[in-house]
Amino acid sequence: METPTTPTDNNGVPSSETQPSKRRRKKSIVWEHFTIETVGAGCTRACCNQCKRSFAYITGSRMAGTSHLKRHISLGICPVSRQKNQMTPYTPGSKTGATDAPKRRYSRAHASFSFDQDRCSYEIARMIIMHDYPLHIVEQQGFINFVRSLQPQFNMVTFNTIKDECMAIYHREKQSLMNLISGIPGRISLTVDLWTSNQNLGYVFLTGHFVDGDWNSYSQILNVVMVPSPDSGDTFSQAILTCLSDWHVEGRLFTITLDQSLSNETIVGNLKGLLSVKNPHMLNSQLLIRNCYARVLCRLAQDALGSLSEIIMKIRESVKYVKTSESHEEKFVELKQQLQVPSIKKLSIDDQTRWDTTYNMLVSACEMREVFACLDTYDSDYKIIISLEEWRKVETLCMYVKYLFDAANVVASPVYPTANAFFPMVSQIQIELMQAAVSEDSFVSSLIRPLYERFDRYWENCCLVLAVAVIMDPRYKKQFVDFTFSKIYGENAETWIRIVDDGLHELFLEYMMQMLSLPETLMEEGNDDVMKSDPPEAAEAAHEEATDGLSDFDIYLSDITGGQQMKSELDQYLEESVLIPRVQDFNVLGWWKERSTKYPTLCKMASDVLSIPVSTVAPDSVFNTSIKRMDSYRISLGAANLEALFCAKDWLLHGPFPESQPQPLEVSNDMVKLEF
């Protein structure tokens, strides 16, 4: 065997045309682990320096390359290298252990990167906020090792540093949202939700709903206020006052929506007093919604499912029997195929903390009831017997729970619907439950009557607000309210129609008064920017009209005069025909935006009414059967940090503030090349 040599050109093949003094040393890192041996004329092999195994390299004019040599080291094929790596654990900064494996070198083909410690710290904080990671993740050794493996130059931040970074993101996003809210032309509505803790502390979540000047709808968490006594009568009033002051929207509150569990007489009385003091014109606090729509649906679904709890338990155990054993499931599928049951649904065990999963379990089980009915003869271990009458009752139950399920899915959407969407759904549930409550089928009437009585209380509380909202939808208008009330109230429909009509005109009259007094109000507040939007002559004329003492009379004339030129914007809008055909994907805010010149006052009213929220819970909690609880980790952060993390997450995920965030780096696929 001849003396070992080392390949000298970039291809690993010695060149006869190149002088030895001019040969370049091979750059590939694989040659740190292999030595070239010439074993005969025109035959060269590569020998592993550790296990001494020989590999083909050059045979005549054919060259094997180095890929198989790299795999020998990097994939642990070399027994000596593998043994060393197992005996010597890797530690950050250590040069032992993995140093025998070929190193990866990264070359930038078309651009260069400059390491940015601040940007990396920001991205870690943003990751923690968006995905609810604990702040102390930055001090966990596993995460530290992971980050160092990606970027050894990064100086890992401490718990306090990352907390400050999260707070900085919160304040930056809050300022962007505050700038947006300060420029909205209308009012803001609030939802009030309550979380609790094992320490009997309350956490009040206040979410703002509003429409901006471009007719975009927003739903953003504004505050998370910790309250020591969640049962106190003035707890929620103080939290709302804190929110209004924090965001500088005193006097601009339109409606408040809260859950029925928070609606004792003391709380409601305090909130009505708050509305009347801060907002003296808004229908004498009639726009206070006491019940959260999602929670009402949840309680109705729980009551309905609870009425057949014994039968549902048998179905649940049957589904468990099938789903928790592969052999049981195979037999079930075989029997289903033999019976030619057409259902394409899959059985699933429900999560009893979410009522939608129970509904879905029952629906899929009902479609395969024939399989369950014969399963005991096909599988001798299956002992659960569900009668045909029990299946009939469950099918009837699912038929009515489906109304609740479909309605809840609307509020579970990531995009919060405008208020006009709810009247058709809520009125349909009211009608279906009302008719079922007096059904000749004794089972149906006994099942639905308690549900109807509960839902009827919700309907009476919110029908005025929802009716006004649907009238602002040009596809429905007042005709739909009249039609629906005739089905619900029969001979008494005219009374309820008059209540809605009076409320609608009274609300519009209040907006007319606001528009007439707008220049004077803006002058008092020193809002020069808005003042400049109107010509001086128009502002002076409006001011004189508002102060001559006859503005109420002018509005009265506009309401009662039959002449088209004297009719109010509201009456003109109501007299126009409804939009036909009625499209489903209708942008009601866009429709009003296009008519802001024709109906300036009515548009302001429409933007506020359409942004009224009816549900207080987040979309991912619509089907939850219990009030959310604050975990011990979040409580340990303190009220300020807890609020910052909750709010910042909502703003980063759903907020309209991309300008407040650093733009991501743009990297092409061919920018970074990997070489062993």
Side-chain angles (χ1 to χ4, degrees):
M1 185 175 291
E2 299 184 10
T3 305
T5 60
T6 302
T8 53
D9 65 14
N10 287 337
N11 295 322
V13 182
S15 174
S16 60
E17 299 178 359
T18 307
Q19 298 299 323
S21 60
K22 296 183 180 180
R23 290 174 180 172
R24 293 180 296 170
R25 184 178 179 181
K26 180 62 179 173
K27 294 182 180 180
S28 177
I29 198 171
V30 75
W31 300 116
E32 295 180 10
H33 305 275
F34 289 88
T35 302
I36 294 298
E37 297 177 345
T38 303
V39 296
C43 182
T44 304
R45 296 182 68 83
C47 180
C48 177
N49 295 336
Q50 299 183 79
C51 68
K52 305 305 180 183
R53 183 178 174 183
S54 178
F55 296 86
Y57 187 55
I58 301 175
T59 304
S61 60
R62 298 178 60 186
M63 187 180 72
T66 59
S67 297
H68 61 305
L69 307 181
K70 296 174 184 177
R71 289 194 295 269
H72 179 72
I73 297 298
S74 63
L75 299 181
I77 299 175
C78 176
V80 178
S81 176
R82 181 169 64 249
Q83 184 178 11
K84 287 183 178 181
N85 289 338
Q86 292 173 348
M87 295 177 60
T88 308
Y90 171 77
T91 55
S94 171
K95 295 183 179 181
T96 62
T99 55
D100 291 330
K103 301 177 182 178
R104 290 177 172 85
R105 298 184 301 179
Y106 296 88
S107 62
R108 293 160 177 82
H110 302 296
S112 61
F113 293 93
S114 59
F115 171 67
D116 189 337
Q117 172 77 23
D118 294 336
R119 176 61 185 267
C120 291
S121 299
Y122 166 83
E123 290 297 344
I124 291 179
R126 194 166 183 266
M127 174 194 73
I128 288 173
I129 292 172
M130 294 179 66
H131 303 292
D132 296 323
Y133 296 137
L135 291 172
H136 56 263
I137 191 176
V138 297
E139 296 181 345
Q140 295 175 348
Q141 193 60 46
F143 184 71
I144 293 174
N145 294 344
F146 171 69
V147 173
R148 285 178 177 171
S149 70
L150 295 178
Q151 178 51 268
Q153 297 183 53
F154 181 67
N155 184 22
M156 182 55 69
V157 294
T158 64
F159 175 90
N160 289 329
T161 301
I162 205 65
K163 182 177 68 174
D164 293 341
E165 185 69 44
C166 290
M167 290 298 295
I169 293 175
Y170 162 73
H171 287 297
R172 181 165 57 247
E173 297 296 324
K174 181 176 182 178
Q175 186 58 54
S176 297
L177 180 56
M178 187 170 290
N179 293 340
L180 176 66
I181 292 177
S182 66
I184 63 174
R187 293 174 173 263
I188 186 169
S189 294
L190 293 179
T191 56
V192 183
D193 194 25
L194 179 67
W195 290 28
T196 59
S197 71
N198 293 331
Q199 293 80 8
N200 197 33
L201 296 174
Y203 295 86
V204 181
F205 282 70
L206 296 128
T207 303
H209 304 258
F210 56 90
V211 173
D212 69 4
D214 291 327
W215 290 86
N216 299 308
S217 178
Y218 297 99
S219 175
Q220 307 286 164
I221 296 178
L222 300 181
N223 292 91
V224 181
V225 182
M226 186 188 75
V227 292
S229 303
D231 298 328
S232 173
D234 61 350
T235 291
F236 301 100
S237 296
Q238 291 300 320
I240 292 172
L241 288 174
T242 298
C243 177
L244 297 178
S245 174
D246 191 20
W247 293 89
H248 309 301
V249 289
E250 299 95 332
R252 301 178 67 186
L253 179 62
F254 189 54
T255 66
I256 301 176
T257 304
L258 65 160
D259 183 35
Q260 187 179 17
S261 61
L262 312 177
S263 301
N264 62 54
E265 292 304 319
T266 303
I267 293 176
V268 171
N270 289 340
L271 292 179
K272 283 190 173 182
L274 174 67
L275 282 172
S276 63
V277 171
K278 294 293 181 180
N279 307 269
H281 299 298
M282 294 295 103
L283 281 182
N284 297 320
S285 305
Q286 293 183 62
L287 300 183
L288 173 67
I289 300 179
R290 302 187 189 184
N291 295 332
C292 166
Y293 182 52
R295 292 260 168 81
V296 169
L297 298 176
C298 180
R299 293 188 186 97
L300 291 178
Q302 285 182 281
D303 289 348
L305 296 171
S307 64
L308 297 182
S309 57
E310 294 183 2
I311 303 177
I312 292 174
M313 178 59 71
K314 293 168 69 174
I315 294 177
R316 182 179 293 117
E317 292 303 317
S318 296
V319 174
K320 284 183 179 179
Y321 177 85
V322 174
K323 298 299 293 183
T324 55
S325 170
E326 290 185 5
S327 62
H328 295 167
E329 188 165 16
E330 288 176 0
K331 291 181 179 179
F332 186 87
V333 172
E334 290 174 1
L335 181 58
K336 177 187 174 185
Q337 292 173 347
Q338 291 182 17
L339 297 173
Q340 297 182 349
V341 176
S343 174
I344 60 173
K345 292 185 179 296
K346 293 184 178 180
L347 292 177
S348 59
I349 305 172
D350 65 331
D351 175 1
Q352 296 182 53
T353 65
R354 291 180 59 91
W355 66 268
D356 60 320
T357 63
T358 304
Y359 166 74
N360 288 324
M361 179 188 70
L362 296 178
V363 170
S364 59
C366 284
E367 290 194 4
M368 287 178 266
R369 64 188 180 278
E370 186 179 354
V371 185
F372 282 110
C374 301
L375 188 59
D376 60 330
T377 60
Y378 194 79
D379 184 349
S380 59
D381 293 332
Y382 178 73
K383 304 296 185 182
I384 304 173
I385 303 299
I386 305 174
S387 68
L388 292 177
E389 178 63 19
E390 288 174 328
W391 282 115
R392 186 189 73 82
K393 289 182 178 180
V394 172
E395 287 180 323
T396 302
L397 171 70
C398 289
M399 181 176 66
Y400 288 99
V401 174
K402 186 180 188 301
Y403 293 116
L404 310 179
F405 177 76
D406 292 341
N409 270 319
V410 175
V411 257
S413 170
V415 179
Y416 198 92
T418 48
N420 59 299
F422 292 99
F423 185 87
M425 292 185 300
V426 175
S427 61
Q428 182 65 24
I429 295 175
Q430 174 76 359
I431 293 171
E432 294 294 340
L433 296 182
M434 180 182 66
Q435 294 175 350
V438 295
S439 171
E440 295 181 358
D441 187 324
S442 59
F443 170 72
V444 172
S445 60
S446 62
L447 173 69
I448 302 301
R449 188 179 297 111
L451 308 183
Y452 168 67
E453 292 173 354
R454 167 170 279 185
F455 194 79
D456 186 57
R457 291 193 293 270
Y458 172 74
W459 167 256
E460 289 187 5
N461 176 255
C462 70
C463 67
L464 172 61
V465 176
L466 299 184
V468 171
V470 81
I471 291 173
M472 294 294 101
D473 188 331
R475 297 172 300 169
Y476 297 100
K477 294 192 175 181
K478 189 171 175 293
Q479 289 92 319
F480 185 72
V481 175
D482 297 348
F483 168 76
T484 303
F485 278 7
S486 65
K487 297 172 66 176
I488 295 176
Y489 297 111
E491 296 178 355
N492 297 323
E494 191 60 37
T495 301
W496 289 91
I497 292 172
R498 190 180 305 111
I499 291 174
V500 172
D501 189 63
D502 292 345
L504 179 68
H505 281 83
E506 181 181 345
L507 186 61
F508 178 72
L509 181 62
E510 291 169 1
Y511 273 86
M512 286 290 294
M513 295 300 298
Q514 290 176 13
M515 293 293 287
L516 291 174
S517 61
L518 186 61
E520 182 178 358
T521 303
L522 292 175
M523 189 176 300
E524 292 174 356
E525 295 178 354
N527 195 333
D528 296 333
D529 294 335
V530 182
M531 283 292 293
K532 292 177 182 177
S533 63
D534 292 329
E537 298 82 0
E540 183 178 57
H543 178 70
E544 290 178 357
E545 183 180 0
T547 56
D548 65 2
L550 297 177
S551 57
D552 288 351
F553 177 67
D554 293 334
I555 296 172
Y556 170 76
L557 288 177
S558 69
D559 282 341
I560 65 173
T561 303
Q564 180 68 30
Q565 69 278 8
M566 293 297 293
K567 286 185 178 180
S568 68
E569 295 176 21
L570 176 60
D571 290 330
Q572 292 181 47
Y573 165 74
L574 293 177
E575 289 180 0
E576 292 180 354
S577 301
V578 297
L579 293 184
I580 298 176
R582 188 170 55 255
V583 295
Q584 294 299 320
D585 298 330
F586 178 68
N587 185 357
V588 65
L589 295 178
W591 189 90
W592 280 105
K593 179 181 180 181
E594 294 175 355
R595 286 152 183 81
S596 56
T597 302
K598 181 178 181 180
Y599 301 126
T601 303
L602 191 60
C603 278
K604 291 181 67 68
M605 173 176 152
S607 68
D608 290 343
V609 169
L610 292 173
S611 63
I612 294 176
V614 301
S615 178
T616 67
V617 299
D620 60 350
S621 302
V622 166
F623 295 100
N624 288 0
T625 57
S626 59
I627 295 178
K628 282 199 170 183
R629 301 186 70 84
M630 198 68 67
D631 58 66
S632 57
Y633 161 70
R634 283 169 168 158
I635 294 174
S636 68
L637 297 175
N641 293 320
L642 183 147
E643 179 181 50
L645 291 175
F646 269 107
C647 292
K649 177 183 178 180
D650 181 69
W651 302 338
L652 289 175
L653 291 177
H654 309 297
F657 328 119
E659 69 279 0
S660 66
Q661 304 169 15
Q663 296 300 312
L665 296 175
E666 295 183 0
V667 184
S668 61
N669 292 332
D670 61 345
M671 183 173 289
V672 180
K673 292 183 177 179
L674 174 63
E675 179 184 341
F676 284 92

